[in-house]
Every structure is written in C-alpha cells, then in structure tokens.
C-alpha cells in the first residue's frame, strides 16, 4: 500500500546533525502515545550544515555511522516498548547513496545487520533501493512533494532556485500523478517514470502539518488508500 510518511511515520533519529538524546526520547514517547510508526533518519555527522553537505565518507565509515545512529534510536524504542520500523538516510547522505552503488550497498548492509525486518526508504529509482532489494530488504521508493526533479530523476539541488515547489495545489497534483500514473514531469518538462510507495513532506515549513492533512484528504477523496509500508 501507499504510505504517507508525514502522517504515519515521523523520523525520530536526530543523533548526528540535530537534536540530542533528550529530544529523541521525547519524540519516541510522543510517537508511542499517538500510535505512529517510528523510523530512523541517520545522516552525515554535520551539525553546522544540518547534514546537507557532502562529507565524502568512505563506505566503511558510512556503515559505522549508520549502525551508530540506528542503534541509538533503537535503544530509545526498546526502552519505550515500541518497535523501530524503517530507516531513511538523511540529506546529502541520502542524495549521495541515490547515485553511488558502493555507498548505497554499505548503508543497506548496515540496516540489514541491525534488523533485516526494517524497511529501507530511498529515492525512487535510486541505487539505494536497488542495493536494498539485492540483499533482501523490504524497500520503499520515496517521492518528494515539495522538490523538483532533474531530467535524470534526481532531486534538483537545493542551491538551485528551482529546487522547491511552493504552490501547494501543484504539489498535491504531482503526488496524485506519481501514484496514479507512475510518472511526473521534470523541472524541464520531461516525463519521468517512477513508482511511489511513500512521500516526503519536509517539516521545516510552518505550514507543513496543514499541508500533510490537505494532501491526505485529497488522496483519500481520490480513493487512494493510505497504508503502512511493509504491511506492519
């Protein structure tokens, strides 16, 4: 089924680039109280750049950072008596793994070595999804509601003024197209084929929660059922 992660699965791992253990514990508790699935969002150890700068870690180093961050959140989940459900790399680590099979393989292996039942979330049509499938992980291909795509199906760089989609109605229609038609238009108007299991809504906008609600309502009005990825 299709999973609107902005509603069902907030990312709660804030070890390397934001937050602290107190924030993690509080977030896990809030997710537990609300009955929301919990996922780890590990990224580069780049506090100043919020994980959005490429640190060029080796695959072996990236593997270790993945284990470290997933394990930290897993401990808070265990203490709260709730399961960890999925893992989605953050920021530039996510972007790099989308196009670098060697890095993607290291990240996927780290997820599998922690728990082979975890769902690995990656950019649709990316190396990360491919490498996760190769080693038997359940994967979720992700679509970004508020980001434009290149002709190659990758995210337009945040350094480009055209990176973000600011019109909410346009963004919602793109989500519908991605789900119903399996395709969207790139920033240059090229048709890109993609399969969307889950969508990303960035939470650093003051209107993010309202937009998530509007998106969910629009999808349900179109008869699109929203279900957890992996069926758990």
């Amino acid at each position: 089924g299709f999973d609107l992660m902005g509603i069902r699965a907030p990312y709660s791992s804030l070890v390397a680039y934001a937050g602290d253990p107190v924030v993690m514990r509080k977030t896990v508790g809030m997710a537990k109280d609300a009955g929301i699935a919990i996922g780890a969002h590990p990224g580069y150890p780049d506090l100043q750049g919020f994980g959005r700068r490429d640190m060029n870690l080796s695959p072996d180093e990236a593997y270790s950072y993945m284990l470290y961050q997933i394990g930290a959140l897993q401990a808070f989940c265990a203490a709260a008596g709730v399961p960890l459900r999925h893992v989605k790399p953050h920021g530039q680590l996510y972007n790099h793994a989308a196009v670098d099979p060697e890095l993607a393989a290291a990240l996927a292996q780290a997820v599998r070595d922690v728990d082979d039942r975890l769902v690995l979330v990656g950019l649709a049509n990316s190396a990360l999804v491919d490498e996760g499938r190769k080693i038997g992980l359940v994967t979720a291909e992700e679509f970004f509601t508020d980001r434009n795509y290149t002709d190659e199906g990758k995210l337009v760089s945040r350094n480009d003024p055209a990176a973000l989609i600011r019109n909410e109605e346009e963004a919602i229609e793109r989500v519908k197209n991605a789900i119903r038609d399996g395709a969207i238009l790139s920033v240059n108007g090229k048709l890109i084929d993609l399969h969307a299991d889950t969508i990303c809504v960035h939470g650093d906008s003051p209107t993010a929660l309202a937009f998530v609600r509007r998106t969910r309502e629009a999808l349900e009005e179109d008869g699109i059922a929203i279900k957890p990825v992996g069926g758990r």
Side-chain angles (χ1 to χ4, degrees):
F2 178 78
D3 179 35
L4 188 60
M5 281 195 171
I7 295 173
R8 290 184 174 266
Y11 303 121
S12 308
S13 181
L14 307 173
V15 180
Y17 60 89
D20 56 42
V22 175
V23 171
M24 292 178 69
R25 182 182 177 197
K26 180 179 179 181
T27 304
V28 168
M30 292 171 64
K32 177 183 179 180
D33 292 343
I36 296 174
I38 298 171
H41 201 23
Y44 283 132
D46 174 28
L47 181 62
Q48 288 77 17
F50 200 67
R52 288 176 175 163
R53 300 180 297 190
D54 201 339
M55 297 185 70
N56 293 316
L57 297 181
S58 70
D60 186 65
E61 290 171 323
Y63 173 90
S64 296
Y65 275 107
M66 285 286 284
L67 288 184
Y68 166 62
Q69 294 177 72
I70 297 169
L73 182 58
Q74 193 176 48
F76 285 105
C77 288
V82 292
L84 185 64
R85 296 293 195 189
H86 57 273
V87 177
K88 172 193 168 182
H90 170 264
Q92 194 57 19
L93 181 62
Y94 176 97
N95 293 333
H96 195 171
V99 297
D100 184 335
E102 190 176 3
L103 177 64
L107 302 190
Q109 190 64 49
V111 172
R112 188 179 187 279
D113 288 349
V114 171
D115 184 346
D116 62 9
R117 298 170 299 173
L118 290 169
V119 177
L120 176 62
V121 180
L123 185 68
N125 301 328
S126 70
L128 184 59
V129 171
D130 290 342
E131 295 301 326
R133 287 175 176 162
K134 284 180 184 178
I135 60 173
L137 289 173
V138 175
T139 60
E141 297 192 64
E142 185 172 44
F143 172 70
F144 285 71
T145 62
D146 56 355
R147 296 288 300 278
N148 266 314
Y149 284 70
T150 68
D151 291 350
E152 295 71 36
K154 308 308 178 188
L155 298 178
V156 173
S157 169
R158 283 182 174 271
N159 295 324
D160 189 321
L164 297 179
I165 295 175
R166 304 184 187 279
N167 184 303
E168 290 190 354
E169 294 302 325
E170 178 186 352
I172 291 173
E173 284 304 310
R174 281 165 58 86
V175 172
K176 291 179 180 179
N177 291 338
I179 298 169
R180 289 183 310 213
D181 306 329
I184 60 164
L185 293 177
S186 76
V187 68
N188 295 315
K190 179 181 176 181
L191 191 66
I192 303 170
D193 293 329
L194 58 79
H195 172 78
D197 297 307
T198 180
I199 70 170
C200 176
V201 177
H202 284 96
D204 51 2
S205 165
T207 61
L209 183 57
F211 174 64
V212 167
R213 287 176 175 147
R214 288 185 60 206
T215 302
R216 177 170 189 153
E217 290 168 359
L219 295 179
E220 290 179 337
E221 286 173 1
D222 269 23
I224 298 171
I226 300 172
K227 301 177 180 180
V229 166
R232 295 200 297 157

